Amino acid sequence: MGRNNPKRKKIREMEDSFEIPRGQPSRDQDIEMGVQVSANSAEQGLESFFKQVQDIEKQIVKLSKLLKKLQDANEESKAVTKASVMKAIKQRMEKDIDEVGKIARIAKSKIEELDKDNLQSRQKPGCGKGSGVDRSRTSTTVALKKKLKDKMSEFQTLRENIQQEYREVVERRVFTVTGNRPDEETIDLLIETGNSEQIFQKAIQEQGRGQVLDTLAEIQERHDAVREIERRLLELQQIFLDMSVMVEAQGDLLNNIESQVSSAVDHVQSGTTALQKAKRLQKNSRKWMCMAIILLLIIVAIIVVAVIKPWASNK
C-alpha cells in the first residue's frame, strides 16, 4: 500500500531534482553525478506538509456538510406556517452558522501557518525558491486557499438565496391571507419592519384576529430569523475577502515562479540544441578531414607509383 501511495510517489519524483550544497555528506553522493539530498530528510519535510494539508481539507469537508445542512434547513423553512416551527429552524441554523465560523477561522489559521512553514522550508538544502519542493508546496497551498475561498463564497450565495426566497414567501403569505397580490412597496415595508398587523387589518376585521394571528406570528418569526441569519453569514464574508486577497497575492507569486522555471527550461533546451548542432558540425568536420587524408594518400600513392614504374622499366 505504501509503495502505491501517490504522495510518496510525488515525493520520490521531487527528490530526483533536489540538490544540497557541496561538502555536505550524503549516502548517495557521486562526484560525477552531483550530490543528492538524502531521501529521509526530504520525505520527512513533505510528510509533515501533507499532514497539514489533509487536516485543512478535513475542515473544508466539515464546511461542506454544514452548508448542506443549512441549505436543507432553508428549504424546509419555505413550507413552514407556524411560528414555533420557524423558531426551531432558526435556532438550528444559527448554531450551524456559528460552527461554520469556528471551522472557517481554524482552516484560515492553519493555511497561514502553512505559509510560514513554506517560507522556512526554503531555507533547507534543495528546497529553495523555485525548486521542485517549493513549487509543489506553493501550488498546493494556493489550491487550498482557493478551495476555502470558493466554499466561503457558497455561504454568501446561500445568504443571497435566503433573502430572495424570504421575499417570495412573504408575498405568498400576504396573498393567502388577504386574497390580494401585494405591491413592491408593501413587500419592502414588511421585509424591513416585520410588522404585518397593519397590512392585515382588513383581513383581521373580516376573519377575526385569532384566525390571522398564527400567520402574523410566523411572519414576524421569519423576519427575525432572516435578519439574524443574514447578520451571521455576513460575518463570514470577511473570511471570504481575506482568502480572496491571499489567493490573488500568492497566485501572482506562483505565476512568477512558474515563469522563471519555464524560462530556465527554455534556456536549457536552447543550450542542448546548440550542443547537438556543434556535435554535428564536429562530426562533419571529422568526416571531411578523413576524406581529405584519404585523397592525399591516393595522390601520394599515384606519385610514388609514377616514380617507381619508369625506374622498374629501365632495369
Side-chain angles (χ1 to χ4, degrees), residues 163 166-167 170 184-196 199 219-220 222-224 226-227 230:
Q163 288 178 323
Y166 169 50
R167 185 180 191 86
V170 167
E184 292 294 319
E185 186 178 349
T186 300
I187 296 298
D188 290 339
L189 179 63
L190 190 52
I191 288 174
E192 183 65 29
T193 64
N195 184 8
S196 55
I199 297 171
I219 289 177
Q220 183 62 53
R222 187 180 297 275
H223 172 269
D224 294 343
V226 169
R227 281 285 177 262
E230 180 183 16

Side-chain angles (χ1 to χ4, degrees), residues 146-204:
K146 187 175 185 304
K147 190 180 289 188
L148 180 57
K149 184 201 80 169
D150 291 345
K151 188 58 59 180
M152 300 313 296
S153 177
E154 291 182 44
F155 283 99
Q156 298 308 310
T157 300
L158 173 63
R159 178 179 64 84
E160 293 169 2
N161 290 341
I162 289 174
Q163 288 178 323
Q164 179 60 35
E165 290 160 0
Y166 169 50
R167 185 180 191 86
E168 294 170 359
V169 169
V170 167
E171 186 176 355
R172 287 198 302 272
R173 292 291 183 274
V174 174
F175 178 75
T176 300
V177 174
T178 65
N180 297 318
R181 186 73 61 183
D183 56 30
E184 292 294 319
E185 186 178 349
T186 300
I187 296 298
D188 290 339
L189 179 63
L190 190 52
I191 288 174
E192 183 65 29
T193 64
N195 184 8
S196 55
E197 186 166 348
Q198 184 177 359
I199 297 171
F200 292 150
Q201 279 295 333
K202 185 177 179 181
I204 291 173

Side-chain angles (χ1 to χ4, degrees), residues 85-294:
V85 178
M86 189 64 227
K87 185 174 183 178
I89 293 175
K90 170 194 169 187
Q91 291 173 344
R92 276 164 39 204
M93 293 182 75
E94 288 175 353
K95 182 179 178 181
D96 288 339
I97 294 172
D98 288 344
E99 187 65 18
V100 167
K102 292 177 184 177
I103 295 172
R105 289 181 183 90
I106 290 173
K108 177 173 174 283
S109 175
K110 288 181 178 294
I111 288 177
E112 290 171 342
E113 289 178 10
L114 213 56
D115 274 336
K116 294 177 182 178
D117 290 346
N118 289 346
L119 289 175
Q120 292 177 357
S121 172
R122 290 179 180 174
Q123 307 305 315
K124 298 178 182 178
C127 301
K129 188 175 181 180
S131 65
V133 168
D134 185 53
R135 295 200 308 275
S136 177
R137 292 179 73 113
T138 302
S139 60
T140 302
T141 305
V142 169
L144 280 175
K145 290 176 180 178
K146 187 175 185 304
K147 190 180 289 188
L148 180 57
K149 184 201 80 169
D150 291 345
K151 188 58 59 180
M152 300 313 296
S153 177
E154 291 182 44
F155 283 99
Q156 298 308 310
T157 300
L158 173 63
R159 178 179 64 84
E160 293 169 2
N161 290 341
I162 289 174
Q163 288 178 323
Q164 179 60 35
E165 290 160 0
Y166 169 50
R167 185 180 191 86
E168 294 170 359
V169 169
V170 167
E171 186 176 355
R172 287 198 302 272
R173 292 291 183 274
V174 174
F175 178 75
T176 300
V177 174
T178 65
N180 297 318
R181 186 73 61 183
D183 56 30
E184 292 294 319
E185 186 178 349
T186 300
I187 296 298
D188 290 339
L189 179 63
L190 190 52
I191 288 174
E192 183 65 29
T193 64
N195 184 8
S196 55
E197 186 166 348
Q198 184 177 359
I199 297 171
F200 292 150
Q201 279 295 333
K202 185 177 179 181
I204 291 173
Q205 294 172 0
E206 293 176 353
Q207 303 174 28
R209 183 176 179 82
Q211 296 181 24
V212 183
L213 189 60
D214 286 343
T215 302
L216 293 172
E218 182 263 326
I219 289 177
Q220 183 62 53
E221 191 62 52
R222 187 180 297 275
H223 172 269
D224 294 343
V226 169
R227 281 285 177 262
E228 183 60 25
I229 290 169
E230 180 183 16
R231 184 186 69 80
R232 297 187 185 215
L233 286 173
L234 275 172
E235 291 177 359
L236 300 178
Q237 190 175 20
Q238 186 57 49
I239 299 176
F240 164 72
L241 294 174
D242 291 345
M243 298 312 303
S244 297
V245 171
M246 291 169 70
V247 168
E248 184 176 352
Q250 196 161 24
D252 291 341
L253 173 62
L254 181 61
N255 290 338
N256 185 39
I257 292 174
E258 293 296 342
S259 176
Q260 291 175 1
V261 171
S262 177
S263 177
V265 171
D266 289 342
H267 287 310
V268 171
Q269 290 176 341
S270 298
T272 302
T273 302
L275 287 173
Q276 290 174 344
K277 185 176 180 180
K279 189 175 181 180
R280 285 196 301 271
L281 290 173
Q282 186 180 28
K283 187 176 180 180
N284 290 335
S285 297
R286 288 178 180 176
K287 180 179 177 181
W288 286 109
M289 184 178 292
C290 290
M291 291 177 66
I293 292 172
I294 292 172

